[in-house]
């Protein structure tokens, strides 16, 4: 039995999860801050990058959540 169907299913679920979380974060992007470009508005690419880095637990720290004041 080929492992390809299972692998493709896991890839689809992983990709779907990343896309859904990125879309949700896009609507709440005011809660994120880009430490590399503090004066620039967050783009969808920034939010997508943050999502991938966070969900894969790499956590570079260049984009972080903003604490409530």
């Amino acid at each position: 039995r080929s492992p390809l169907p299972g692998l493709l299913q896991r890839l689809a679920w992983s990709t779907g999860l990343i896309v859904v979380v990125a879309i949700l974060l896009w609507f709440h992007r005011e809660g994120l801050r880009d430490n590399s470009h503090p004066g620039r508005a967050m783009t969808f690419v920034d939010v997508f990058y943050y999502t991938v880095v966070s969900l894969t637990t790499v956590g570079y720290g260049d984009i972080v959540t903003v604490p409530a004041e």
Side-chain angles (χ1 to χ4, degrees):
R1 183 174 163 192
S2 173
L4 187 60
L7 180 63
L8 291 176
Q9 184 179 18
R10 287 183 185 99
L11 181 63
W13 277 107
S14 301
T15 303
L17 176 66
I18 289 171
V19 169
V20 167
V21 172
I23 290 170
L24 291 173
L25 282 173
W26 173 249
F27 292 108
H28 298 284
R29 64 188 175 275
E30 66 277 352
L32 299 173
R33 177 179 53 222
D34 186 348
N35 287 331
S36 298
H37 306 97
R40 192 182 73 182
M42 296 290 286
T43 65
F44 186 77
V45 172
D46 294 326
V47 173
F48 189 80
Y49 167 80
Y50 173 78
T51 303
V52 171
V53 168
S54 296
L55 290 180
T56 59
T57 66
V58 176
Y60 292 125
D62 51 347
I63 299 177
V64 297
T65 56
V66 179
E69 295 181 26

Short mmCIF file of all heavy atoms in Angstrom, two decimals:
data_model
loop_
_atom_site.label_atom_id
_atom_site.label_comp_id
_atom_site.label_asym_id
_atom_site.label_seq_id
_atom_site.Cartn_x
_atom_site.Cartn_y
_atom_site.Cartn_z
N ARG A 1 0.83 -1.18 0.00
CA ARG A 1 0.00 0.00 0.00
C ARG A 1 0.88 1.25 0.00
O ARG A 1 1.81 1.36 0.79
CB ARG A 1 -0.90 -0.04 1.22
CG ARG A 1 -1.84 1.09 1.27
CD ARG A 1 -2.83 0.96 2.40
NE ARG A 1 -3.40 2.27 2.60
CZ ARG A 1 -4.13 2.63 3.60
NH1 ARG A 1 -4.38 1.76 4.54
NH2 ARG A 1 -4.60 3.81 3.71
N SER A 2 0.55 2.19 -0.85
CA SER A 2 1.35 3.40 -1.00
C SER A 2 1.08 4.40 0.14
O SER A 2 -0.07 4.62 0.52
CB SER A 2 1.02 4.07 -2.34
OG SER A 2 1.67 5.32 -2.44
N PRO A 3 2.14 5.02 0.67
CA PRO A 3 1.96 6.03 1.71
C PRO A 3 1.56 7.40 1.15
O PRO A 3 1.28 8.33 1.90
CB PRO A 3 3.33 6.10 2.38
CG PRO A 3 4.28 5.73 1.31
CD PRO A 3 3.55 4.71 0.46
N LEU A 4 1.53 7.53 -0.17
CA LEU A 4 1.27 8.82 -0.81
C LEU A 4 -0.08 9.43 -0.44
O LEU A 4 -0.14 10.62 -0.10
CB LEU A 4 1.40 8.70 -2.33
CG LEU A 4 1.32 10.02 -3.10
CD1 LEU A 4 2.41 10.97 -2.66
CD2 LEU A 4 1.41 9.75 -4.59
N PRO A 5 -1.19 8.68 -0.42
CA PRO A 5 -2.47 9.29 -0.05
C PRO A 5 -2.46 9.87 1.38
O PRO A 5 -2.97 10.98 1.61
CB PRO A 5 -3.48 8.15 -0.16
CG PRO A 5 -2.87 7.22 -1.14
CD PRO A 5 -1.39 7.30 -0.91
N GLY A 6 -1.88 9.16 2.30
CA GLY A 6 -1.79 9.66 3.67
C GLY A 6 -0.93 10.90 3.77
O GLY A 6 -1.25 11.85 4.49
N LEU A 7 0.18 10.90 3.05
CA LEU A 7 1.08 12.04 3.03
C LEU A 7 0.38 13.27 2.44
O LEU A 7 0.47 14.37 2.97
CB LEU A 7 2.34 11.71 2.25
CG LEU A 7 3.39 12.81 2.13
CD1 LEU A 7 3.92 13.18 3.51
CD2 LEU A 7 4.52 12.38 1.23
N LEU A 8 -0.32 13.08 1.34
CA LEU A 8 -1.04 14.18 0.70
C LEU A 8 -2.16 14.71 1.60
O LEU A 8 -2.41 15.91 1.65
CB LEU A 8 -1.60 13.75 -0.65
CG LEU A 8 -0.56 13.50 -1.74
CD1 LEU A 8 -1.22 12.98 -3.00
CD2 LEU A 8 0.25 14.75 -2.03
N GLN A 9 -2.82 13.82 2.33
CA GLN A 9 -3.86 14.25 3.26
C GLN A 9 -3.27 15.09 4.38
O GLN A 9 -3.81 16.13 4.74
CB GLN A 9 -4.59 13.04 3.83
CG GLN A 9 -5.74 13.41 4.73
CD GLN A 9 -6.46 12.20 5.28
OE1 GLN A 9 -5.93 11.09 5.28
NE2 GLN A 9 -7.67 12.40 5.76
N ARG A 10 -2.15 14.68 4.93
CA ARG A 10 -1.50 15.47 5.98
C ARG A 10 -1.03 16.81 5.45
O ARG A 10 -1.15 17.84 6.14
CB ARG A 10 -0.30 14.70 6.55
CG ARG A 10 -0.71 13.54 7.41
CD ARG A 10 0.51 12.86 8.01
NE ARG A 10 0.13 11.67 8.74
CZ ARG A 10 0.21 10.44 8.26
NH1 ARG A 10 0.66 10.23 7.04
NH2 ARG A 10 -0.16 9.42 9.00
N LEU A 11 -0.51 16.83 4.25
CA LEU A 11 -0.08 18.09 3.63
C LEU A 11 -1.26 19.03 3.43
O LEU A 11 -1.16 20.23 3.70
CB LEU A 11 0.61 17.80 2.30
CG LEU A 11 1.14 19.01 1.54
CD1 LEU A 11 2.23 19.71 2.35
CD2 LEU A 11 1.68 18.58 0.19
N ALA A 12 -2.39 18.50 2.98
CA ALA A 12 -3.59 19.32 2.78
C ALA A 12 -4.09 19.88 4.10
O ALA A 12 -4.45 21.07 4.18
CB ALA A 12 -4.67 18.49 2.09
N TRP A 13 -4.14 19.07 5.15
CA TRP A 13 -4.58 19.55 6.46
C TRP A 13 -3.63 20.61 7.01
O TRP A 13 -4.08 21.62 7.56
CB TRP A 13 -4.69 18.39 7.46
CG TRP A 13 -5.98 17.65 7.36
CD1 TRP A 13 -6.16 16.40 6.83
CD2 TRP A 13 -7.27 18.09 7.77
NE1 TRP A 13 -7.48 16.04 6.90
CE2 TRP A 13 -8.19 17.06 7.47
CE3 TRP A 13 -7.75 19.25 8.36
CZ2 TRP A 13 -9.55 17.17 7.76
CZ3 TRP A 13 -9.10 19.34 8.63
CH2 TRP A 13 -9.97 18.33 8.33
N SER A 14 -2.34 20.41 6.87
CA SER A 14 -1.36 21.37 7.36
C SER A 14 -1.47 22.71 6.62
O SER A 14 -1.48 23.78 7.24
CB SER A 14 0.07 20.83 7.19
OG SER A 14 0.23 19.63 7.88
N THR A 15 -1.57 22.62 5.31
CA THR A 15 -1.70 23.84 4.51
C THR A 15 -3.01 24.56 4.83
O THR A 15 -3.03 25.79 4.98
CB THR A 15 -1.64 23.49 3.01
OG1 THR A 15 -0.40 22.81 2.76
CG2 THR A 15 -1.73 24.74 2.15
N GLY A 16 -4.09 23.81 4.96
CA GLY A 16 -5.37 24.40 5.30
C GLY A 16 -5.35 25.10 6.65
O GLY A 16 -5.88 26.20 6.80
N LEU A 17 -4.71 24.47 7.63
CA LEU A 17 -4.60 25.07 8.96
C LEU A 17 -3.83 26.38 8.90
O LEU A 17 -4.25 27.38 9.48
CB LEU A 17 -3.91 24.09 9.92
CG LEU A 17 -3.64 24.63 11.32
CD1 LEU A 17 -4.95 24.91 12.06
CD2 LEU A 17 -2.78 23.67 12.10
N ILE A 18 -2.73 26.39 8.19
CA ILE A 18 -1.93 27.61 8.07
C ILE A 18 -2.73 28.71 7.40
O ILE A 18 -2.71 29.87 7.85
CB ILE A 18 -0.61 27.32 7.32
CG1 ILE A 18 0.31 26.48 8.21
CG2 ILE A 18 0.08 28.61 6.89
CD1 ILE A 18 1.54 25.94 7.52
N VAL A 19 -3.44 28.40 6.34
CA VAL A 19 -4.23 29.41 5.63
C VAL A 19 -5.35 29.95 6.52
O VAL A 19 -5.56 31.17 6.58
CB VAL A 19 -4.78 28.83 4.30
CG1 VAL A 19 -5.80 29.75 3.68
CG2 VAL A 19 -3.63 28.58 3.33
N VAL A 20 -6.06 29.08 7.22
CA VAL A 20 -7.16 29.52 8.09
C VAL A 20 -6.64 30.43 9.20
O VAL A 20 -7.20 31.49 9.46
CB VAL A 20 -7.92 28.31 8.67
CG1 VAL A 20 -8.85 28.72 9.81
CG2 VAL A 20 -8.71 27.62 7.57
N VAL A 21 -5.55 30.04 9.84
CA VAL A 21 -4.99 30.86 10.92
C VAL A 21 -4.49 32.18 10.38
O VAL A 21 -4.69 33.24 11.00
CB VAL A 21 -3.88 30.09 11.67
CG1 VAL A 21 -3.17 31.00 12.66
CG2 VAL A 21 -4.46 28.89 12.39
N ALA A 22 -3.86 32.19 9.21
CA ALA A 22 -3.38 33.43 8.61
C ALA A 22 -4.54 34.37 8.31
O ALA A 22 -4.45 35.59 8.56
CB ALA A 22 -2.59 33.15 7.34
N ILE A 23 -5.63 33.86 7.81
CA ILE A 23 -6.80 34.69 7.53
C ILE A 23 -7.37 35.26 8.83
O ILE A 23 -7.71 36.45 8.90
CB ILE A 23 -7.86 33.90 6.73
CG1 ILE A 23 -7.34 33.64 5.32
CG2 ILE A 23 -9.19 34.64 6.70
CD1 ILE A 23 -8.17 32.67 4.51
N LEU A 24 -7.47 34.44 9.86
CA LEU A 24 -7.97 34.93 11.15
C LEU A 24 -7.06 36.01 11.73
O LEU A 24 -7.53 37.04 12.23
CB LEU A 24 -8.12 33.78 12.14
CG LEU A 24 -9.23 32.78 11.85
CD1 LEU A 24 -9.15 31.60 12.81
CD2 LEU A 24 -10.59 33.45 11.95
N LEU A 25 -5.76 35.79 11.65
CA LEU A 25 -4.82 36.79 12.15
C LEU A 25 -4.84 38.06 11.32
O LEU A 25 -4.57 39.15 11.84
CB LEU A 25 -3.40 36.22 12.19
CG LEU A 25 -3.09 35.30 13.35
CD1 LEU A 25 -1.71 34.67 13.19
CD2 LEU A 25 -3.16 36.06 14.66
N TRP A 26 -5.15 37.95 10.04
CA TRP A 26 -5.22 39.14 9.19
C TRP A 26 -6.24 40.13 9.73
O TRP A 26 -6.02 41.34 9.73
CB TRP A 26 -5.54 38.74 7.75
CG TRP A 26 -5.77 39.92 6.87
CD1 TRP A 26 -6.96 40.30 6.32
CD2 TRP A 26 -4.80 40.86 6.41
NE1 TRP A 26 -6.78 41.42 5.56
CE2 TRP A 26 -5.47 41.79 5.60
CE3 TRP A 26 -3.43 41.01 6.63
CZ2 TRP A 26 -4.82 42.85 4.99
CZ3 TRP A 26 -2.78 42.06 6.03
CH2 TRP A 26 -3.46 42.97 5.23
N PHE A 27 -7.36 39.61 10.23
CA PHE A 27 -8.40 40.48 10.76
C PHE A 27 -8.05 41.04 12.14
O PHE A 27 -8.71 41.96 12.61
CB PHE A 27 -9.74 39.74 10.80
CG PHE A 27 -10.28 39.46 9.44
CD1 PHE A 27 -10.30 38.17 8.93
CD2 PHE A 27 -10.75 40.49 8.63
CE1 PHE A 27 -10.79 37.90 7.66
CE2 PHE A 27 -11.24 40.24 7.36
CZ PHE A 27 -11.25 38.94 6.88
N HIS A 28 -7.02 40.49 12.78
CA HIS A 28 -6.58 40.96 14.09
C HIS A 28 -5.11 41.39 14.04
O HIS A 28 -4.41 41.28 15.04
CB HIS A 28 -6.78 39.86 15.14
CG HIS A 28 -8.20 39.47 15.30
ND1 HIS A 28 -9.10 40.24 15.98
CD2 HIS A 28 -8.89 38.40 14.83
CE1 HIS A 28 -10.29 39.66 15.94
NE2 HIS A 28 -10.19 38.54 15.25
N ARG A 29 -4.68 41.88 12.90
CA ARG A 29 -3.27 42.24 12.71
C ARG A 29 -2.82 43.43 13.54
O ARG A 29 -1.63 43.64 13.73
CB ARG A 29 -2.97 42.46 11.24
CG ARG A 29 -3.69 43.63 10.62
CD ARG A 29 -3.47 43.65 9.11
NE ARG A 29 -4.24 44.68 8.46
CZ ARG A 29 -5.50 44.56 8.06
NH1 ARG A 29 -6.13 43.42 8.25
NH2 ARG A 29 -6.12 45.56 7.47
N GLU A 30 -3.76 44.20 14.08
CA GLU A 30 -3.36 45.32 14.94
C GLU A 30 -2.72 44.81 16.23
O GLU A 30 -2.06 45.58 16.93
CB GLU A 30 -4.56 46.23 15.25
CG GLU A 30 -5.64 45.61 16.10
CD GLU A 30 -6.63 44.76 15.31
OE1 GLU A 30 -6.60 44.74 14.06
OE2 GLU A 30 -7.45 44.08 15.97
N GLY A 31 -2.89 43.54 16.52
CA GLY A 31 -2.27 42.94 17.70
C GLY A 31 -0.88 42.40 17.44
O GLY A 31 -0.29 41.75 18.30
N LEU A 32 -0.34 42.65 16.25
CA LEU A 32 1.01 42.21 15.89
C LEU A 32 1.90 43.42 15.64
O LEU A 32 1.43 44.47 15.21
CB LEU A 32 0.98 41.34 14.63
CG LEU A 32 0.17 40.06 14.70
CD1 LEU A 32 0.11 39.42 13.32
CD2 LEU A 32 0.76 39.11 15.71
N ARG A 33 3.18 43.26 15.88
CA ARG A 33 4.15 44.33 15.62
C ARG A 33 5.36 43.71 14.93
O ARG A 33 5.88 42.68 15.36
CB ARG A 33 4.57 44.99 16.92
CG ARG A 33 5.64 46.07 16.72
CD ARG A 33 6.05 46.76 18.00
NE ARG A 33 6.45 45.79 19.02
CZ ARG A 33 6.12 45.88 20.29
NH1 ARG A 33 5.36 46.86 20.72
NH2 ARG A 33 6.52 44.97 21.15
N ASP A 34 5.82 44.35 13.87
CA ASP A 34 7.00 43.90 13.14
C ASP A 34 8.21 44.62 13.69
O ASP A 34 8.39 45.82 13.45
CB ASP A 34 6.82 44.19 11.64
CG ASP A 34 7.93 43.62 10.78
OD1 ASP A 34 8.96 43.20 11.34
OD2 ASP A 34 7.78 43.61 9.55
N ASN A 35 9.04 43.92 14.45
CA ASN A 35 10.23 44.55 15.04
C ASN A 35 11.28 44.90 14.01
O ASN A 35 12.12 45.76 14.26
CB ASN A 35 10.83 43.63 16.10
CG ASN A 35 9.99 43.59 17.36
OD1 ASN A 35 9.31 44.54 17.69
ND2 ASN A 35 10.03 42.46 18.05
N SER A 36 11.24 44.27 12.84
CA SER A 36 12.21 44.57 11.80
C SER A 36 11.87 45.86 11.07
O SER A 36 12.75 46.54 10.56
CB SER A 36 12.28 43.43 10.78
OG SER A 36 12.70 42.24 11.40
N HIS A 37 10.57 46.17 10.99
CA HIS A 37 10.08 47.39 10.30
C HIS A 37 8.98 48.01 11.16
O HIS A 37 7.81 47.94 10.80
CB HIS A 37 9.55 47.05 8.91
CG HIS A 37 10.52 46.30 8.07
ND1 HIS A 37 10.49 44.93 7.95
CD2 HIS A 37 11.56 46.73 7.31
CE1 HIS A 37 11.47 44.55 7.15
NE2 HIS A 37 12.13 45.61 6.75
N PRO A 38 9.34 48.64 12.29
CA PRO A 38 8.32 49.08 13.25
C PRO A 38 7.36 50.14 12.71
O PRO A 38 6.23 50.22 13.16
CB PRO A 38 9.13 49.62 14.42
CG PRO A 38 10.52 49.73 13.96
CD PRO A 38 10.69 48.88 12.75
N GLY A 39 7.74 50.94 11.75
CA GLY A 39 6.88 52.00 11.25
C GLY A 39 5.98 51.58 10.10
O GLY A 39 5.12 52.34 9.67
N ARG A 40 6.19 50.39 9.59
CA ARG A 40 5.46 49.92 8.40
C ARG A 40 4.22 49.14 8.81
O ARG A 40 4.23 48.40 9.78
CB ARG A 40 6.38 49.04 7.57
CG ARG A 40 5.85 48.72 6.18
CD ARG A 40 6.78 47.81 5.46
NE ARG A 40 6.63 46.48 6.10
CZ ARG A 40 7.32 45.42 5.75
NH1 ARG A 40 8.25 45.50 4.83
NH2 ARG A 40 7.12 44.27 6.33
N ALA A 41 3.14 49.32 8.04
CA ALA A 41 1.91 48.57 8.30
C ALA A 41 2.13 47.09 7.96
O ALA A 41 2.91 46.74 7.07
CB ALA A 41 0.78 49.13 7.45
N MET A 42 1.43 46.22 8.70
CA MET A 42 1.53 44.78 8.46
C MET A 42 0.83 44.42 7.15
O MET A 42 -0.30 44.83 6.92
CB MET A 42 0.88 44.01 9.60
CG MET A 42 1.55 44.17 10.95
SD MET A 42 3.14 43.39 11.05
CE MET A 42 2.66 41.69 11.14
N THR A 43 1.49 43.64 6.32
CA THR A 43 0.90 43.16 5.07
C THR A 43 0.44 41.72 5.29
O THR A 43 0.78 41.09 6.30
CB THR A 43 1.92 43.19 3.92
OG1 THR A 43 2.97 42.27 4.22
CG2 THR A 43 2.50 44.60 3.73
N PHE A 44 -0.32 41.19 4.33
CA PHE A 44 -0.75 39.79 4.46
C PHE A 44 0.46 38.86 4.43
O PHE A 44 0.46 37.83 5.11
CB PHE A 44 -1.75 39.41 3.37
CG PHE A 44 -2.30 38.03 3.57
CD1 PHE A 44 -3.28 37.80 4.54
CD2 PHE A 44 -1.83 36.96 2.84
CE1 PHE A 44 -3.77 36.53 4.77
CE2 PHE A 44 -2.33 35.68 3.06
CZ PHE A 44 -3.30 35.47 4.02
N VAL A 45 1.48 39.22 3.68
CA VAL A 45 2.69 38.40 3.64
C VAL A 45 3.33 38.35 5.03
O VAL A 45 3.79 37.29 5.48
CB VAL A 45 3.68 38.92 2.58
CG1 VAL A 45 5.01 38.20 2.66
CG2 VAL A 45 3.09 38.80 1.19
N ASP A 46 3.36 39.49 5.73
CA ASP A 46 3.89 39.51 7.10
C ASP A 46 3.08 38.60 8.02
O ASP A 46 3.64 37.84 8.80
CB ASP A 46 3.85 40.94 7.67
CG ASP A 46 4.78 41.89 6.95
OD1 ASP A 46 5.86 41.45 6.51
OD2 ASP A 46 4.43 43.07 6.84
N VAL A 47 1.76 38.68 7.91
CA VAL A 47 0.89 37.86 8.74
C VAL A 47 1.05 36.38 8.40
O VAL A 47 1.12 35.53 9.28
CB VAL A 47 -0.58 38.31 8.59
CG1 VAL A 47 -1.52 37.36 9.32
CG2 VAL A 47 -0.76 39.72 9.12
N PHE A 48 1.15 36.07 7.12
CA PHE A 48 1.35 34.68 6.69
C PHE A 48 2.69 34.15 7.20
O PHE A 48 2.78 33.03 7.72
CB PHE A 48 1.27 34.58 5.17
CG PHE A 48 1.25 33.17 4.66
CD1 PHE A 48 0.07 32.44 4.69
CD2 PHE A 48 2.40 32.57 4.17
CE1 PHE A 48 0.05 31.12 4.24
CE2 PHE A 48 2.38 31.26 3.72
CZ PHE A 48 1.20 30.54 3.75
N TYR A 49 3.73 34.96 7.10
CA TYR A 49 5.05 34.60 7.60
C TYR A 49 4.98 34.34 9.12
O TYR A 49 5.50 33.33 9.60
CB TYR A 49 6.03 35.73 7.29
CG TYR A 49 7.36 35.64 8.01
CD1 TYR A 49 8.35 34.79 7.56
CD2 TYR A 49 7.61 36.41 9.14
CE1 TYR A 49 9.57 34.70 8.22
CE2 TYR A 49 8.81 36.33 9.79
CZ TYR A 49 9.79 35.48 9.33
OH TYR A 49 10.98 35.41 10.00
N TYR A 50 4.33 35.24 9.86
CA TYR A 50 4.19 35.06 11.31
C TYR A 50 3.46 33.75 11.62
O TYR A 50 3.84 33.03 12.54
CB TYR A 50 3.44 36.26 11.90
CG TYR A 50 3.09 36.10 13.36
CD1 TYR A 50 4.06 36.29 14.34
CD2 TYR A 50 1.81 35.75 13.76
CE1 TYR A 50 3.76 36.13 15.68
CE2 TYR A 50 1.50 35.59 15.10
CZ TYR A 50 2.47 35.78 16.05
OH TYR A 50 2.17 35.61 17.37
N THR A 51 2.43 33.46 10.85
CA THR A 51 1.65 32.24 11.07
C THR A 51 2.51 31.00 10.87
O THR A 51 2.52 30.09 11.71
CB THR A 51 0.44 32.20 10.11
OG1 THR A 51 -0.35 33.37 10.32
CG2 THR A 51 -0.40 30.96 10.34
N VAL A 52 3.25 30.94 9.77
CA VAL A 52 4.09 29.78 9.49
C VAL A 52 5.17 29.63 10.56
O VAL A 52 5.39 28.53 11.08
CB VAL A 52 4.71 29.88 8.07
CG1 VAL A 52 5.76 28.80 7.86
CG2 VAL A 52 3.64 29.81 7.01
N VAL A 53 5.81 30.73 10.91
CA VAL A 53 6.89 30.68 11.91
C VAL A 53 6.33 30.25 13.27
O VAL A 53 6.92 29.45 13.97
CB VAL A 53 7.61 32.04 12.01
CG1 VAL A 53 8.51 32.11 13.21
CG2 VAL A 53 8.41 32.30 10.74
N SER A 54 5.14 30.75 13.62
CA SER A 54 4.55 30.41 14.92
C SER A 54 4.05 28.97 14.96
O SER A 54 4.28 28.26 15.94
CB SER A 54 3.39 31.35 15.23
OG SER A 54 3.87 32.65 15.37
N LEU A 55 3.35 28.53 13.91
CA LEU A 55 2.80 27.18 13.92
C LEU A 55 3.88 26.10 13.77
O LEU A 55 3.67 24.97 14.19
CB LEU A 55 1.75 27.02 12.82
CG LEU A 55 0.45 27.78 13.05
CD1 LEU A 55 -0.51 27.55 11.89
CD2 LEU A 55 -0.20 27.37 14.36
N THR A 56 5.00 26.45 13.19
CA THR A 56 6.09 25.48 13.09
C THR A 56 7.07 25.61 14.25
O THR A 56 8.10 24.96 14.27
CB THR A 56 6.86 25.64 11.76
OG1 THR A 56 7.39 26.96 11.67
CG2 THR A 56 5.95 25.37 10.57
N THR A 57 6.74 26.44 15.21
CA THR A 57 7.49 26.69 16.46
C THR A 57 8.92 27.14 16.23
O THR A 57 9.78 26.93 17.07
CB THR A 57 7.49 25.46 17.39
OG1 THR A 57 8.21 24.39 16.78
CG2 THR A 57 6.09 25.02 17.74
N VAL A 58 9.18 27.81 15.11
CA VAL A 58 10.52 28.37 14.90
C VAL A 58 10.68 29.60 15.78
O VAL A 58 11.67 29.75 16.48
CB VAL A 58 10.75 28.71 13.41
CG1 VAL A 58 12.09 29.38 13.20
CG2 VAL A 58 10.66 27.45 12.57
N GLY A 59 9.72 30.53 15.72
CA GLY A 59 9.69 31.70 16.59
C GLY A 59 10.91 32.58 16.52
O GLY A 59 11.65 32.69 17.49
N TYR A 60 11.14 33.25 15.42
CA TYR A 60 12.31 34.11 15.26
C TYR A 60 12.26 35.34 16.16
O TYR A 60 13.28 35.88 16.53
CB TYR A 60 12.47 34.56 13.81
CG TYR A 60 12.82 33.44 12.86
CD1 TYR A 60 12.04 33.19 11.75
CD2 TYR A 60 13.93 32.65 13.08
CE1 TYR A 60 12.36 32.16 10.88
CE2 TYR A 60 14.26 31.62 12.22
CZ TYR A 60 13.46 31.40 11.12
OH TYR A 60 13.77 30.38 10.26
N GLY A 61 11.06 35.84 16.49
CA GLY A 61 10.94 37.02 17.36
C GLY A 61 10.93 38.34 16.63
O GLY A 61 10.88 39.39 17.25
N ASP A 62 10.99 38.33 15.30
CA ASP A 62 10.99 39.59 14.57
C ASP A 62 9.59 40.17 14.44
O ASP A 62 9.43 41.38 14.32
CB ASP A 62 11.64 39.45 13.20
CG ASP A 62 11.09 38.30 12.38
OD1 ASP A 62 10.38 37.45 12.95
OD2 ASP A 62 11.37 38.23 11.18
N ILE A 63 8.56 39.34 14.50
CA ILE A 63 7.18 39.80 14.57
C ILE A 63 6.60 39.20 15.83
O ILE A 63 6.68 38.00 16.05
CB ILE A 63 6.36 39.37 13.33
CG1 ILE A 63 6.96 39.97 12.06
CG2 ILE A 63 4.90 39.78 13.49
CD1 ILE A 63 6.25 39.53 10.79
N VAL A 64 6.06 40.06 16.69
CA VAL A 64 5.58 39.62 18.00
C VAL A 64 4.19 40.16 18.27
O VAL A 64 3.76 41.13 17.63
CB VAL A 64 6.54 40.07 19.12
CG1 VAL A 64 7.90 39.43 18.96
CG2 VAL A 64 6.67 41.58 19.15
N THR A 65 3.50 39.57 19.24
CA THR A 65 2.21 40.10 19.65
C THR A 65 2.43 41.34 20.51
O THR A 65 3.47 41.49 21.16
CB THR A 65 1.43 39.06 20.47
OG1 THR A 65 2.22 38.66 21.57
CG2 THR A 65 1.08 37.86 19.62
N VAL A 66 1.46 42.24 20.48
CA VAL A 66 1.53 43.47 21.26
C VAL A 66 0.72 43.27 22.53
O VAL A 66 -0.45 42.91 22.46
CB VAL A 66 0.95 44.65 20.44
CG1 VAL A 66 0.99 45.92 21.25
CG2 VAL A 66 1.71 44.81 19.13
N PRO A 67 1.33 43.48 23.69
CA PRO A 67 0.57 43.31 24.93
C PRO A 67 -0.51 44.39 25.06
O PRO A 67 -0.32 45.53 24.64
CB PRO A 67 1.64 43.45 26.01
CG PRO A 67 2.76 44.17 25.38
CD PRO A 67 2.70 43.87 23.92
N ALA A 68 -1.63 44.03 25.65
CA ALA A 68 -2.70 45.00 25.90
C ALA A 68 -2.25 46.02 26.91
O ALA A 68 -1.59 45.69 27.91
CB ALA A 68 -3.95 44.27 26.39
N GLU A 69 -2.59 47.25 26.65
CA GLU A 69 -2.18 48.32 27.58
C GLU A 69 -3.32 48.75 28.45
O GLU A 69 -4.43 48.70 28.14
CB GLU A 69 -1.66 49.51 26.78
CG GLU A 69 -0.39 49.14 26.04
CD GLU A 69 0.16 50.31 25.25
OE1 GLU A 69 -0.10 51.45 25.63
OE2 GLU A 69 0.83 50.07 24.27
#
